[in-house]
Amino acid sequence: MDVRKKLAILADAAKYDASCASSGSKSTRPDSLIGSTEGMGICHSYTPDGRCVSLLKILLTNYCIYDCQYCVNRISSDTRRARFTVDEVVDLTLEFYRRNYIEGLFLSSGIIQTSDYTMEQLIAVAKKLRVEHHYGGYIHLKTIPNAADGLIDEAGRWADRLSVNIELPTEQDLVQLAPEKKKPQIEQAMQGIRGKIDEYKHEVKAGFQPPRFAPAGQSTQMIVGATKTPDVEILRTASSLYTQQRLRRVYYSAYSPIPHADARLPGQSPPLVREHRLYQADWLMRFYGFDASEIVTEADQNLSLEMDPKLAWAIANRHFFPVDINRASREELLRIPGIGVRSVDRILKLRRLQKVATSDLKKLRIAWKRAKSFIQTGDHNPGLADLDKLDLGRRIRPQTQQLLLFDAASSAFSGEV
């Protein structure tokens, strides 16, 4: 099979892995000759400073010795197989970069022979790019469960980011659909990476110059909708990973039905809006001070599909409002629907100079339709009269509409909900 056909198979097989953002990639290898991620290219992912970067996202192989029932590449799946050599991945990465198609590499793999052997193959790609070709672009390696600690150490030396997929939200889900994978082993692998990252940072702070180790941190991915686990449990798992493992990101991937699926799997995908709501709730946990348990307000323990989780929380907790825009703490301001982190910072600066009025908030371009029913301003705010009305949700819930491309780009850039 030639490289072009392999690329068609293995790039398609990699589409199910969502954890491919390149946040933290800027200037991680400033002394390298090629592979800068400073420019703009094909839009695949956003960095924290809003840049859009492109990644070559492929599997080394879609062969796998595991039989995870939700995975199209499982050993019992009747799918076309392919496998790259190390040199083929290196050549593809360099050729794509030189043609300005990509700015980085996301490399994962099915497990072949053993975990250690597969990890050695992934490391060989990254090491050859760094050492022989002086490639300084972003590299994200998917680490293999149960791989030896020494291999993980070496992977972190050549890669900017490492990730270990948690796969499913609970241990019971893994037992049901992926019995070969054990949650304690996955968390132990994450903990080992976290310890190495902490060690690297500590030595740098002490004035030493240790070898780099995954400067962009680590991430993970959870499949949503393959089991009946509710959103509240998904968010609790994510919150635990953020606090205990200090992950950079938890990615959520809506389950996609696969051919010849196990009878225990659902026959259709969950609504894509559910995945979107989980990302919004994740943002609330990371930047707005919300706890995983309080975000979900619905009786079935799932996020509302009709409105964003911040607005749903506000309607369910009206006793918290109104919030005085001129006296409230930063934490209280962050709870107001329609006001994001950047707007809160601007409000705090403005109120040092004057009383903040309704007209000032509109000039700051907050989402006034959502916010007006929950805030007390320095002047008269007629929207506050709606706070106790029974149909408040209907009044302020955004109408369903087709988003424009640039609306979606703005939301992705700001992350404000």
Side-chain angles (χ1 to χ4, degrees):
M1 187 182 296
D2 63 29
V3 174
R4 185 186 296 270
K5 290 181 180 178
K6 290 181 183 180
L7 182 60
I9 294 172
L10 296 173
D12 182 70
K15 69 184 180 183
Y16 298 101
D17 204 316
S19 55
C20 62
S22 59
S23 53
S25 67
K26 184 177 181 181
S27 301
T28 58
R29 311 274 171 172
D31 54 343
S32 299
L33 300 179
I34 65 173
S36 170
T37 59
E38 297 296 317
M40 298 294 291
I42 302 169
C43 178
H44 283 180
S45 57
Y46 284 95
T47 60
D49 58 1
R51 291 179 301 111
C52 207
V53 298
S54 56
L55 300 173
L56 174 59
K57 180 183 177 185
I58 56 175
L59 300 184
L60 184 68
T61 179
N62 62 344
Y63 288 97
C64 190
I65 62 175
Y66 283 176
D67 197 27
C68 303
Q69 294 305 307
Y70 52 83
C71 181
V72 71
N73 299 317
R74 68 190 187 279
I75 192 171
S76 61
S77 176
D78 183 18
T79 189
R80 196 178 185 192
R81 309 287 182 170
R83 177 179 174 180
F84 280 126
T85 66
V86 169
D87 287 339
E88 285 172 341
V89 177
V90 170
D91 291 342
L92 275 173
T93 303
L94 294 174
E95 287 302 317
F96 273 51
Y97 174 77
R98 290 187 178 112
R99 296 179 187 185
N100 199 29
Y101 293 163
I102 63 163
E103 298 168 278
L105 170 67
F106 173 89
L107 184 61
S108 184
S109 180
I111 300 175
I112 44 178
Q113 297 187 22
T114 65
S115 296
D116 285 352
Y117 174 78
T118 309
M119 196 70 239
E120 287 170 356
Q121 295 291 294
L122 296 176
I123 292 170
V125 172
K127 184 176 181 179
K128 190 163 188 176
L129 282 168
R130 297 295 193 206
V131 176
E132 295 186 22
H133 299 281
H134 304 284
Y135 177 77
Y138 176 81
I139 297 178
H140 181 157
L141 292 184
K142 184 71 66 175
T143 55
I144 305 301
N146 302 323
D149 291 342
L151 293 174
I152 302 300
D153 292 347
E154 188 174 5
R157 180 179 179 184
W158 308 118
D160 293 284
R161 171 170 288 184
L162 300 176
S163 57
V164 184
N165 278 358
I166 195 74
E167 302 291 0
L168 294 166
T170 68
E171 190 167 6
Q172 183 179 354
D173 293 338
L174 284 173
V175 170
Q176 179 183 351
L177 297 179
E180 296 98 337
K181 296 182 179 179
K182 312 295 183 184
K183 190 174 181 181
Q185 293 176 345
I186 295 172
E187 292 180 340
Q188 184 178 359
M190 291 179 175
Q191 191 170 357
I193 296 173
R194 187 203 71 188
K196 281 291 181 180
I197 293 173
D198 290 345
E199 181 181 334
Y200 166 71
K201 291 180 178 179
H202 178 75
E203 290 186 9
V204 169
K205 188 176 290 186
F208 298 104
Q209 294 183 333
R212 293 178 181 274
F213 186 89
Q218 65 169 321
S219 59
T220 193
Q221 172 179 306
M222 274 191 283
I223 296 171
V224 177
T227 63
K228 295 182 179 180
T229 302
D231 292 341
V232 67
E233 292 299 326
I234 294 173
L235 292 174
R236 283 173 180 161
T237 298
S239 178
S240 174
L241 292 173
Y242 281 130
T243 55
Q244 295 180 19
Q245 309 299 344
R246 293 196 284 278
L247 298 190
R248 285 289 186 91
R249 285 294 302 271
V250 174
Y251 291 88
Y252 308 93
S253 178
Y255 166 72
S256 180
I258 56 179
H260 313 295
D262 188 277
R264 293 168 292 182
L265 291 167
Q268 60 183 11
S269 300
L272 284 179
V273 69
R274 182 185 181 192
E275 181 183 302
H276 178 59
R277 296 300 182 212
L278 284 167
Y279 276 112
Q280 289 180 316
D282 185 275
W283 204 272
L284 293 179
M285 292 191 300
R286 294 165 60 210
F287 301 110
Y288 288 73
F290 281 78
D291 183 79
S293 299
E294 67 177 327
I295 295 175
V296 180
T297 59
E298 301 295 310
D300 63 356
Q301 296 191 315
N302 287 307
L303 294 166
S304 169
L305 301 182
E306 303 298 323
M307 63 182 75
D308 72 75
K310 192 177 182 185
L311 179 58
W313 179 87
I315 292 175
N317 293 272
R318 300 191 203 190
H319 60 276
F320 184 83
F321 302 98
V323 171
D324 190 333
I325 208 75
N326 287 290
R327 296 184 179 181
S329 65
R330 187 176 190 275
E331 291 73 20
E332 291 171 324
L333 294 175
L334 286 171
R335 299 262 167 163
I336 303 172
I339 299 183
V341 174
R342 292 186 299 170
S343 295
V344 166
D345 292 338
R346 290 168 184 164
I347 290 169
L348 292 173
K349 290 179 181 178
L350 180 61
R351 74 185 193 183
R352 294 173 190 164
L353 307 174
Q354 64 181 59
K355 277 194 172 183
V356 179
T358 301
S359 58
D360 297 319
L361 294 175
K362 291 180 178 179
K363 289 177 183 177
L364 292 176
R365 305 189 69 175
I366 69 169
W368 178 249
K369 184 176 180 180
R370 273 179 285 164
K372 64 181 181 180
S373 302
F374 301 98
I375 56 178
Q376 181 178 334
T377 59
D379 58 349
H380 177 58
N381 173 20
L384 193 56
D386 294 336
L387 180 59
D388 294 324
K389 292 183 178 178
L390 296 177
D391 62 344
L392 176 61
R394 182 185 61 80
R395 287 172 175 266
I396 62 177
R397 186 173 63 216
Q399 297 297 316
T400 302
Q401 59 178 331
Q402 177 63 49
L403 291 176
L404 297 175
L405 171 63
F406 296 105
D407 291 338
S410 175
S411 175
F413 177 81
S414 67
E416 296 188 356
V417 292

